[in-house]
Amino acid sequence: MTRQAISQSGQTAPQATAGVGVQQVNGVCTQYFECATPATWTEHVHTTHELLWGARGVLTVEADGGFFAVPATLGLWIPAGVVHAVKSTQGTGFYCSHIDGQVMPHLASRTVAVTVPAAAQELLRHMSAFDMDDSIRERSEQVVVGLLDVVDARPMLLPMPTDPRLELIARALLDDPALDRSLEEWSVKVAISVRNLSRLFHKETGMTFAQWRIHARVRVALGLLAAGYPVSSVSRRVGYNNPSAFVQVFRKVMGHTPGWYVASLKAGNHHSLAGSV
């Protein structure tokens, strides 16, 4: 495997060694994706670690049993061997870096949010655009991965149910968060009693149906706000005709207002998603 062409095979890969104590990067390959139309990468795996970063627009990833919204200020680290799917809306752009090598346990074991500081971003862009002496490239690759820090950005993650009936509901709400069907209406649609539907939702997601729908709406709103949509437009698209009601819900979930979140994105605040859940 060369540094210039790291494999992005769709074949199942062995899980990364979680107990590794020394980081050794063998190669880094970065590509930029510009999505003129909505795009979907269905479930797949890589033999290399994957870092999605520099997102502009709405980029979401489903991995490790959860639905992640990837903001402009952070990156999403997906370890080698983790099955994942990626979706983007029209006008979304993002970088994808594949890292071949052994990494520290905090990066090897699970999908996590990481800071991608300006120095790391410039190194990744530079290494993808220019030929470099092998020794300089080797040192740069070690440095760039060492600059990534795991952050507590739990609001990026929305737990996804696995029961097929609940999954149908969850995906419908993520595709159209403004859907206003009641729990009773959903129970009829998926042929399950209201009581069992309510119990299963809490068992599989740790939330009631109403709580999960609120969090789903906020996750979608995060991407729309990051894409530059005004609060009034975002509130309608996620099911709130009254912007003040949307602001109140957003503050309850995230711990701050949509305006604060947008201002933090513009300021490059890496912790703009460290809200309350």
Side-chain angles (χ1 to χ4, degrees):
M1 185 177 294
T2 66
R3 296 183 183 279
Q4 288 73 26
I6 295 178
S7 169
Q8 296 183 29
S9 167
Q11 297 179 352
T12 302
Q15 291 292 335
T17 305
V20 80
V22 178
Q23 183 164 281
Q24 179 60 47
V25 179
N26 302 319
V28 177
C29 176
T30 298
Q31 291 177 284
Y32 182 73
F33 292 87
E34 185 78 33
C35 304
T37 59
T40 299
W41 290 263
T42 56
E43 284 192 345
H44 60 286
V45 297
H46 299 293
T47 57
T48 54
H49 307 295
E50 184 174 24
L51 173 67
L52 300 175
W53 59 279
R56 175 180 53 79
V58 183
L59 182 67
T60 59
V61 176
E62 190 172 343
D64 284 338
F67 176 88
F68 295 82
V70 184
T73 56
L74 295 173
L76 188 69
W77 176 277
I78 307 170
V82 170
V83 178
H84 59 285
V86 182
K87 293 182 71 173
S88 68
T89 59
Q90 180 177 342
T92 296
F94 64 96
Y95 288 92
C96 175
S97 296
H98 284 267
I99 296 97
D100 172 38
Q102 291 184 323
V103 294
M104 299 299 283
H106 65 287
L107 293 176
S109 59
R110 60 194 174 96
T111 301
V112 292
V114 294
T115 61
V116 188
Q121 294 182 25
E122 287 305 316
L123 267 176
L124 287 167
R125 292 191 190 99
H126 186 85
M127 287 190 293
S128 68
F130 300 101
D131 290 331
M132 300 171 66
D133 178 84
D134 283 349
S135 63
I136 296 175
R137 184 175 289 274
E138 286 178 19
R139 292 196 296 272
S140 298
E141 289 166 348
Q142 304 297 325
V143 168
V144 77
V145 177
L147 289 172
L148 308 177
D149 287 325
V150 174
V151 296
D152 180 13
R154 285 171 292 170
M156 284 175 66
L157 172 62
L158 180 69
M160 291 291 288
T162 57
D163 182 282
R165 296 162 297 183
L166 273 62
E167 185 180 6
L168 185 151
I169 296 172
R171 294 192 183 282
L173 290 172
L174 288 170
D175 288 339
D176 183 5
L179 273 176
D180 201 28
R181 286 182 182 144
S182 67
L183 190 64
E184 290 75 15
E185 290 172 318
W186 279 117
S187 72
V188 173
K189 185 172 180 61
V190 300
I192 183 175
S193 71
V194 173
R195 181 178 179 181
N196 282 336
L197 180 56
S198 179
R199 179 183 59 81
L200 276 174
F201 239 104
H202 192 274
K203 178 182 178 181
E204 296 206 359
T205 68
M207 303 179 192
T208 66
F209 169 77
Q211 289 171 331
W212 192 94
R213 182 167 58 184
I214 287 172
H215 280 248
R217 287 174 168 178
V218 170
R219 298 314 185 283
V220 174
L222 289 171
L224 293 171
L225 290 167
Y229 289 95
V231 171
S232 58
S233 174
V234 173
S235 66
R236 289 193 299 273
R237 291 181 66 162
V238 299
Y240 297 94
N241 292 324
N242 184 345
S244 63
F246 166 67
V247 171
Q248 183 177 2
V249 166
F250 190 97
R251 186 200 294 270
K252 184 176 181 180
V253 173
M254 298 301 299
H256 45 69
T257 66
W260 184 94
Y261 169 66
V262 172
S264 295
L265 287 177
K266 292 178 179 178
N269 180 1
H270 296 312
H271 299 282
S272 58
L273 281 177
S276 58
V277 287

